[in-house]
Amino acid sequence: MTGGMTGLPLRVSRVFTQADFDRFAELSGDDNPIHVDPAFSAETRFGRTVAHGMLLYAALWGLIRGVFPDAIQESQDLMFPAPTYADEPVFLEVDLLERPEPDRLVLAVRVLSGRAGAPTLEGRTRIRLAGGATP
């Protein structure tokens, strides 16, 4: 990652709770029991509930908009190599990968397990800066 732009890289710690999973399920309509039913999830390979992938990305998008409030997302490419569990710390990371045009940025996004350091979300997003180029 190259970084160097004002406000980047970002690294923020966060703990998502079961209540967060439940609220996201209610808002999104994604009430898959792997996210909201501890008894069901205990019988799966995960052993407990796991975060919605889009809940994780929404938190990353919030970080991006904190630095670039006029950002418009043009694309995203995400992978979820490991689960994110409730009540465990994670690190949300955003960094600059490239700047193909003055008003466009390609950002690396990651969520890392606070215990193992393994990625639970890895990807990139391309944004357009609606207000024009940044300093």
Side-chain angles (χ1 to χ4, degrees):
M1 292 188 225
T2 57
M5 179 164 280
T6 303
L8 294 177
L10 295 170
R11 182 176 167 100
V12 175
S13 64
R14 173 110 188 236
V15 175
F16 292 96
T17 66
Q18 185 61 53
D20 294 328
F21 296 178
D22 295 345
R23 280 192 300 270
F24 191 82
E26 185 179 333
L27 289 170
S28 69
D30 181 357
D31 61 356
N32 184 318
I34 194 68
H35 305 303
V36 298
D37 185 338
F40 171 87
S41 299
E43 301 298 321
T44 70
R45 66 184 174 106
F46 299 114
R48 53 194 163 139
T49 57
V50 298
H52 301 75
M54 289 296 98
L55 170 61
L56 301 176
Y57 186 70
L60 288 163
W61 182 246
L63 290 178
I64 293 167
R65 290 295 301 262
V67 175
F68 305 106
D70 63 346
I72 297 169
Q73 181 171 284
E74 292 187 329
S75 66
Q76 68 181 5
D77 180 17
L78 306 173
M79 293 180 22
F80 304 92
T84 300
Y85 296 110
D87 302 317
E88 289 192 358
V90 294
F91 295 100
L92 307 173
E93 298 182 341
V94 179
D95 202 355
L96 179 66
L97 283 176
E98 62 182 284
R99 189 173 196 162
E101 299 172 40
D103 65 342
R104 296 215 169 30
L105 305 174
V106 178
L107 304 173
V109 293
R110 291 195 325 167
V111 176
L112 299 175
S113 166
R115 286 189 320 132
T120 65
L121 178 156
E122 290 184 302
R124 54 195 294 151
T125 185
R126 181 181 164 114
I127 62 172
R128 179 171 56 90
L129 305 173
T134 61

